[in-house]
Amino acid sequence: MAGLEDGREWAYRVDPYGFERPDDFDYASYEAFFSRYLVVLTRRAIKWSKLLKGKNSIQKSLKVKRYIRKGIPNEHRALIWMIVSGAQTNMEQNPGYYQRLLEGEKNDKLVEAIKTDMNRTFPDNVKFRRTADPCLQHTLYNVLVAYGHHNKAVGYCQGMNFIAGYLILITKNEEESFWLLDALIGRILPDYYSPAMLGLKTDQEVLGELVKMKVPAVAELMERHGVMWTLVVSRWFICLFIDILPVETVLRIWDCLFYEGSKIIFRVALTLIKQHQAFILEATNFPDICDKFKQITKGTFVTECHTFMQKIFTEPGSLSMATIDKLRETCRDKVLAQG
């Protein structure tokens, strides 16, 4: 029996996306969760097949939005992301554009910056190792170089490598990954990756204001100990929860992000903070607070992605785009004034 157990455990060492599981990975509780989640996945897959009816198109509707919130089956994920984000339309309207970017003149400084980050991108993923065949580093390099020349105002900045890497793992298609990256950086995430990162700094302040409104005790704790939001949440925003939350949970968040836009990030952040309010409030000093924020992104609450996703739409209460836009306006002014 022990031999069988060892073999099964070895098969689990690498997840379906190529990520190696950490040494302290709790196989027993994950298996318990996944056997339950498998039932949900099977049910959703049947519903999605009926919805798509073998077609490669879908119209935005309340039903589709509801389906997306309940998770897109992996076999349909790339297609649905492409359609609902507008990436599909852009790709079809610009045939050959991606190829032309790859073949065009290159900015040496940009290319160098991207090359430097290649080995730092998912060292724990077997598909991104130099020894892998095919090695996804080459695909990643192409997507990032093409994007840097497409959007010169952004070029390349750290964080984009992880996002492009996830897109490649899901689409298994270089050009689709490029257009999805364009949808995220060009439209969905307002000004996160430009050199000044104004949009990113603004949205961290917006989260601070939302916490004041919805979880005031935590906001008060942060203020009392002089902890700036950027210290504890900047990677949540820059990496869109990659390497922070479990892969399956990140993909479920991205399902909604592509359809509903950037307010999903606030919903996730507020849910993590609100759910763990009592735990965060145990902190008595600056490093303690930072440590608590690392802890709240681990454990069964975030692993159980299906219930977690239900929570992000109930726990924070109402959160309209109008509220976020208004807060963005005042917070942007504040960030600019700090200069």
Side-chain angles (χ1 to χ4, degrees), residues 15 188 206 231 280 332:
D15 75 12
I188 295 170
V206 169
L231 281 173
I280 295 167
R332 188 176 292 117

Side-chain angles (χ1 to χ4, degrees), residues 9-245:
E9 193 170 302
W10 176 249
Y12 277 146
R13 281 281 156 85
V14 175
D15 75 12
Y17 306 98
F19 290 99
E20 290 177 323
R21 307 227 192 254
D23 291 339
D24 59 354
F25 187 76
D26 185 345
Y27 290 94
S29 69
Y30 184 78
E31 196 166 309
F33 149 69
F34 206 79
S35 58
R36 288 194 305 275
Y37 189 44
L38 213 49
V39 179
V40 175
L41 287 176
T42 310
R43 195 170 63 235
R44 299 314 309 161
I46 294 165
K47 296 220 173 201
W48 273 95
S49 293
K50 279 183 186 160
L51 181 73
L52 288 166
K53 297 189 190 79
K55 293 198 298 281
N56 272 0
S57 64
I58 201 168
Q59 295 295 316
K60 281 193 162 192
S61 68
L62 278 173
K63 183 180 183 177
V64 169
K65 182 181 180 178
R66 196 175 70 243
Y67 271 38
I68 287 174
R69 285 185 173 189
K70 290 181 179 180
I72 305 168
N74 223 3
E75 65 264 34
H76 302 306
R77 202 163 242 147
L79 172 72
I80 303 301
W81 284 4
M82 287 294 288
I83 295 168
V84 300
S85 66
Q88 187 71 32
T89 305
N90 273 5
M91 186 168 84
E92 285 165 7
Q93 287 172 352
N94 295 280
Y97 176 69
Y98 177 69
Q99 212 45 48
R100 287 197 299 279
L101 286 170
L102 287 181
E103 290 161 7
E105 288 260 321
K106 302 286 187 296
N107 173 330
D108 294 342
K109 216 170 138 198
L110 176 85
V111 166
E112 209 41 56
I114 292 168
K115 273 186 179 160
T116 306
D117 270 359
M118 278 301 105
N119 286 326
R120 297 183 199 156
T121 309
F122 301 134
D124 59 339
N125 190 302
V126 295
K127 297 180 183 186
F128 282 91
R129 302 247 164 92
R130 276 190 178 158
T131 49
D133 182 26
C135 170
L136 292 184
Q137 275 195 21
H138 180 64
T139 313
L140 178 65
Y141 171 81
N142 282 352
V143 170
L144 292 172
V145 167
Y147 192 76
H149 289 89
H150 160 70
N151 186 343
K152 291 187 174 71
V154 168
Y156 170 72
C157 98
Q158 282 184 332
M160 285 165 61
N161 51 329
F162 294 107
I163 290 170
Y166 254 52
L167 294 172
I168 290 163
L169 286 171
I170 294 304
T171 62
K172 303 178 178 65
N173 181 302
E174 209 174 288
E175 191 176 359
E176 288 181 3
S177 299
F178 167 81
W179 288 109
L180 283 169
L181 188 65
D182 183 50
L184 279 171
I185 295 175
R187 297 191 296 283
I188 295 170
L189 307 172
D191 207 10
Y192 275 26
Y193 301 95
S194 60
M197 290 185 158
L198 180 61
L200 177 75
K201 290 172 183 165
T202 299
D203 277 2
Q204 289 172 171
E205 292 292 326
V206 169
L207 178 63
E209 292 303 314
L210 289 169
V211 173
K212 265 184 210 163
M213 288 153 62
K214 293 174 182 288
V215 207
V218 170
E220 199 269 322
L221 176 82
M222 300 282 282
E223 218 158 281
R224 194 165 68 241
H225 291 284
V227 182
M228 288 166 68
W229 280 103
T230 182
L231 281 173
V232 288
V233 300
S234 66
R235 281 186 61 237
W236 296 6
F237 287 89
I238 291 173
C239 294
L240 301 178
F241 301 102
I242 292 174
D243 275 354
I244 290 151
L245 296 176

